[in-house]
Amino acid sequence: MQDQPVVSQPAPSLQHRLAGRSLRSALLSGVAWVCALIASVPLLSVLYMLIMRGGSRLSWEVLSELPPAGFEMGGGFGNALVGTFVMVGIAALIAIPVGILAAIFLSELGPSSKLANIARFAAKTLTGLPSILAGVFAYAMVVLTTGSYSAPAGGLALAVLMVPIVVLTAEEALKMVPKAMKDAAYGMGCTRTQVIWKIVLPTGMPAILTGVMLAVARAAGETAPLLFTALFSNYWLYQDGSFEVMGPTASLAVLIYNFSGMPFDNQIELAWAASLVLVLIVLVINIVSRIIGRPRF
Amino acid sequence: MNKPFAVLPQTDSVCQPPTSTQFMLDRGFRGLCHFGVFLILLLVVALVVEIGGKAVPGIQKYGAGFIAGTVWDPNQLQYGILPAIWGTLYSSLLALLIGGFFGVMMAIFLTQDFLPPRLAMVFRTIIELLAAIPSVVYGLWGIFVVIPAIRPLADWLHQALGWLPFFNSTLSGPGLLPAAIVLAIMILPTIAAVSQDALRAVPLKTKQAAHGMGATHWEAILKVMLPTAATGIFGALVLGLGRALGETMALAMLVGNSNQISLSLFSPANTLAALLALNFPEAGPAEVEVLMYAALVLVLITLVVNLVGSSIMMISQRGGK
């Protein structure tokens, strides 16, 4: 062995430089801590404002009454709460079956077929779609065709946003099902459909549910796609003995947007209360989905 | 009726060949799954056809002048979206600058042994919850918290450094800076999550080798970990940019919706998504075709950015293996 410079050994004369390097490392660690604390401020501030300003107004009256007009006091956002549930429900009815069927194809029937690769790419592209464009699409498809703003139009816009999330998370969920379990079923003479229904779907169900609930949580909080598909309404969906299915429909998110720009204190308080309710709905769904979806294998 | 399993012997075993009903059901269900996949492709095609098709009259009428025009006046039938494109890019890049710095810092903080696992979990949850809050709530928070909070700073900067083009107007309420700050908070979770994956994918040996050579904690991070994970982190930044470009509500509420091109951080501006959000609800047939044209431009911008982002991610994942 010839003499080679040993890189890993600091020369004794450089002892003071080593101290400088350690100091710099410690300083940077301090910067990292400060950054992490700064990054936590927005969440804490949002939650504080929601609880202080929204919580003070929250009551049964607020949850069950109709929105107030201009200078009126009191009122609530009962119709918006119902509208949000109805539209997320419509979206879920469209997006969940389509998404899970497609995910079954992608993970079980033809995982590496050309069709599957194209569909996977399409779903990934759709996840990056700005939510307002889903609204533009539903506007062109439903509002221009039927001639009115409606809950189904809003539901379709939300479904466009939910489908790719459901497909991609359900595919991952189904892929996690151990191959040995499927092979055992095939060995007993099961058809692929039987394997899917009796083995793959039940085993993958918790993880599929997680994906579905995350998609629902996202849809519940979306505003942009509803602005010009469902618009807003100051009335109940069910009024005077008939359902106004094809009329403008209120939603919590659009109510917050509309009221935030109003010059009346009452409306702004209601916007905060509606935000608190919306965030609670979204957070509860998120937390439940995490509990369901804990890894089991 | 063909019986594919008819050659098998019939026995009393639990292992039975499928009956012809089960066989038919199998075919039906597989057909249904095919149909589901086709619906997804159909959705993408319909999106492009609907938006593109409805934009055709607008494209024919206004042509390329629409993209270069600076005036938006429905009364005089003058439409131009250059200020909106400028505002979209400027606010997104500003948000990327702030959100990118904090996002990558957060990813380093969470993956490079700064915290005991429990505390890291707390910070990770905080970042994930940031992503769960609806954008309209951020908009409301921006109006009532961020704008009042940064106004003193904005006034001071305008007075002290007003000769710089970035500070040459006062913050009169909504403006570019509050919008960009809120946008940065919204893209931070995406950037932090994807960068964390990139940093975790760096083999442990690489880091151990750096420490073995006497590198300090931060020398190892800055000179070994970050360069190794650079492709993935770059992909995270591009995906974050894609999110910022398409974000609507926070901007519609905070950016001020004024059609002007300005470098100033405090002047109101406009973005493509905010333009759509504000004008669609009251649009007549003449305006719809113009708005569809604007929507098409937004589709193209976000599509290009997202495709670049996901191909970078693909390259970095292939490199990681």
Side-chain angles (χ1 to χ4, degrees), chain A residues 70-138:
Chain A
F71 285 103
E72 267 177 29
M73 295 312 287
F77 42 76
N79 62 338
L81 201 57
V82 174
T84 292
F85 281 122
V86 168
M87 282 188 282
V88 172
I90 293 174
L93 278 182
I94 304 172
I96 295 173
V98 173
I100 293 183
L101 284 177
I104 290 173
F105 182 87
L106 293 185
S107 71
E108 298 299 315
L109 298 179
S112 47
S113 63
K114 206 172 219 172
L115 180 63
N117 285 332
I118 298 173
R120 227 173 262 134
F121 178 73
K124 276 186 191 147
T125 314
L126 280 178
T127 49
L129 183 83
S131 60
I132 190 152
L133 291 174
V136 175
F137 170 67

Side-chain angles (χ1 to χ4, degrees), chain B residues 148-230:
Chain B
I150 65 172
R151 184 168 286 153
L153 178 74
D155 287 344
W156 180 79
L157 279 173
H158 175 60
Q159 266 163 15
L161 298 164
W163 49 273
L164 277 174
F166 302 110
F167 307 122
N168 67 7
S169 61
T170 52
L171 186 73
S172 59
L176 204 60
L177 187 64
I181 289 175
V182 172
L183 207 50
I185 296 168
M186 299 178 70
I187 63 173
L188 191 151
T190 312
I191 296 176
V194 183
S195 307
Q196 276 185 62
D197 290 342
L199 284 169
R200 279 207 200 93
V202 177
L204 188 61
K205 278 182 189 167
T206 314
K207 192 174 162 187
Q208 286 172 337
H211 284 305
M213 286 173 68
T216 62
H217 198 171
W218 273 92
E219 281 168 350
I221 291 169
L222 292 176
K223 293 184 180 156
V224 177
M225 300 304 287
L226 280 186
T228 318

Side-chain angles (χ1 to χ4, degrees), chain A residues 233-273:
Chain A
S233 148
N234 280 323
Y235 306 102
W236 293 102
L237 209 53
Y238 176 84
Q239 198 147 17
D240 305 329
S242 68
F243 275 106
E244 282 287 328
V245 180
M246 291 313 288
T249 308
S251 56
L252 280 177
V254 176
L255 178 129
I256 298 168
Y257 173 64
N258 286 348
F259 280 11
S260 72
M262 287 191 180
F264 311 112
D265 283 345
N266 185 31
Q267 265 77 352
I268 293 196
E269 273 177 30
L270 281 177
W272 279 109

